[in-house]
Amino acid sequence: MKTVLTPYRHILNYISGGLVLILLSTLHIKAQNFDPKNKELLNDITFIASVDKFENHNAWNRLIRKLESKSKADNEYFLEYLFYKTHQKLLKEYKKGTTFNNLLETGDYDCVSASITYSILLKYFDITHKIIETDYHVFIIAEIGEQEYVLETTDPGNGWISDEEEVQDFKKDFLPDTNSALMNQQQSVGANSYGQPNSKTIYKEISLRQLSALQYFNQGLIAIHNQDYRLATRRLQQALNLYNSERINTVFKIVAQ
């Protein structure tokens, strides 16, 4: 028997087909929100969070689109805009020991997870920068030509430092002290003692992957504080797998005995 389509069924079929196209188009657009061309960045992300987390994170993708709309502006203006807009859209409340995954879920951050956020964005927009690890803190130095800019990621109000003299003064606060006592190996990165260091023995540039390892190091120290030595050993081993540093090794050997 031949099926005769009523005018209404023609309309329904047309609408259904249109909806499928719209949905497919929407999915395609969503998947393209976070689309790094930098292969090194894509490789690093696999050690931090799944690409799906970025593609499906509304606030992250809104931020990317906001930044892309300003990316052709003056370089210094864009870098400053990126600093403040990221705090405004993603970073909500400082909380010691917060991982990058926690940051995406809640907006809580510390110096490690916030610096991961900024380093990913800076790499995404091909902005040269250094991640600086110290005994108890992490921050970012971005570079435009010969000029350096500090991104103090835990300070939403005054963390953008562009004045050359202020940049040098900021760095001096963290440079190793030759008269310092031995490093406090169990000082977590991003501890509350920021600004009143117990020691100054570390000042070095690290990679994004090594920065992600410091998340596990901090979690390991928190587990030690909670006397959960099995979890501490696991977290410290995860840290060592990404970053075989002296301080992580030292604490791991003590806990794993």
Side-chain angles (χ1 to χ4, degrees):
M1 178 182 294
K2 184 178 179 181
T3 302
V4 179
L5 294 176
T6 67
Y8 296 107
R9 291 186 64 182
H10 277 299
I11 293 169
L12 287 172
N13 284 349
Y14 176 78
I15 292 173
S16 299
L19 285 174
V20 170
L21 288 173
I22 290 169
L23 287 171
L24 288 174
S25 174
T26 302
L27 289 172
H28 176 71
I29 290 170
K30 190 171 187 178
Q32 293 303 310
N33 283 338
F34 185 72
D35 183 22
K37 304 299 187 292
N38 186 322
K39 290 183 179 179
E40 181 186 337
L41 175 55
L42 278 172
N43 290 334
D44 286 338
I45 284 172
T46 62
F47 293 93
I48 300 168
S50 68
V51 175
D52 286 347
K53 265 194 178 295
F54 293 97
E55 290 180 346
N56 298 316
H57 194 281
N58 290 331
W60 179 273
N61 286 303
R62 282 196 299 270
L63 175 62
I64 289 291
R65 290 194 293 273
K66 280 270 188 187
L67 295 176
E68 283 178 339
S69 72
K70 302 288 186 179
S71 61
K72 303 300 181 185
D74 172 79
N75 289 335
E76 183 174 323
Y77 168 82
F78 176 68
L79 187 56
E80 183 178 7
Y81 181 85
L82 182 150
F83 177 80
Y84 287 112
K85 189 58 66 173
T86 300
H87 253 289
Q88 179 186 344
K89 297 297 183 182
L90 282 183
L91 311 184
K92 304 303 180 184
E93 184 176 350
Y94 178 88
K95 187 175 181 181
K96 182 182 173 183
T98 300
T99 66
F100 180 73
N101 280 323
N102 292 145
L103 186 154
L104 289 180
E105 291 169 8
T106 66
D108 292 341
Y109 67 92
D110 63 7
C111 72
V112 175
S113 55
S115 293
I116 288 173
T117 302
Y118 279 100
S119 183
I120 290 172
L121 290 171
L122 292 171
K123 276 196 172 188
Y124 183 87
F125 288 101
D126 294 320
I127 297 173
T128 302
H129 65 284
K130 299 173 184 176
I131 303 165
I132 304 298
E133 175 192 7
T134 73
D135 291 62
Y136 54 92
H137 193 52
V138 176
F139 59 91
I140 288 177
I141 297 176
E143 299 173 358
I144 299 175
E146 299 295 318
Q147 189 166 348
E148 292 183 330
Y149 302 84
V150 169
L151 278 66
E152 170 43 84
T153 63
T154 59
D155 187 348
N158 302 295
W160 162 257
I161 304 175
S162 58
D163 179 80
E164 186 174 349
E165 188 174 334
E166 291 179 10
V167 168
Q168 295 308 315
D169 288 343
F170 182 91
K171 290 164 64 175
K172 284 177 186 175
D173 284 342
F174 296 92
L175 290 173
D177 181 356
T178 55
N179 297 317
S180 175
L182 289 175
M183 176 177 60
N184 181 354
Q185 301 285 2
Q186 296 196 21
Q187 182 70 55
S188 63
V189 184
N192 290 333
S193 61
Y194 165 50
Q196 298 178 341
N198 294 325
S199 60
K200 290 183 181 181
T201 62
I202 300 175
Y203 184 97
K204 64 178 177 178
E205 181 181 354
I206 59 174
S207 68
L208 179 54
R209 196 171 302 184
Q210 290 170 326
L211 175 61
S212 70
L214 296 181
Q215 299 179 107
Y216 299 117
F217 176 67
N218 281 348
Q219 288 182 318
L221 295 183
I222 292 170
I224 291 170
H225 178 76
N226 295 330
Q227 299 184 347
D228 188 343
Y229 300 111
R230 182 176 296 181
L231 176 60
T233 302
R234 190 159 65 246
R235 292 290 179 259
L236 292 168
Q237 183 64 69
Q238 288 175 292
L240 278 176
N241 290 342
L242 296 171
Y243 183 18
N244 189 8
S245 79
E246 179 186 352
R247 74 158 135 199
I248 298 174
N249 244 314
T250 300
V251 179
F252 176 76
K253 287 175 182 176
I254 294 170
V255 175
Q257 284 180 349

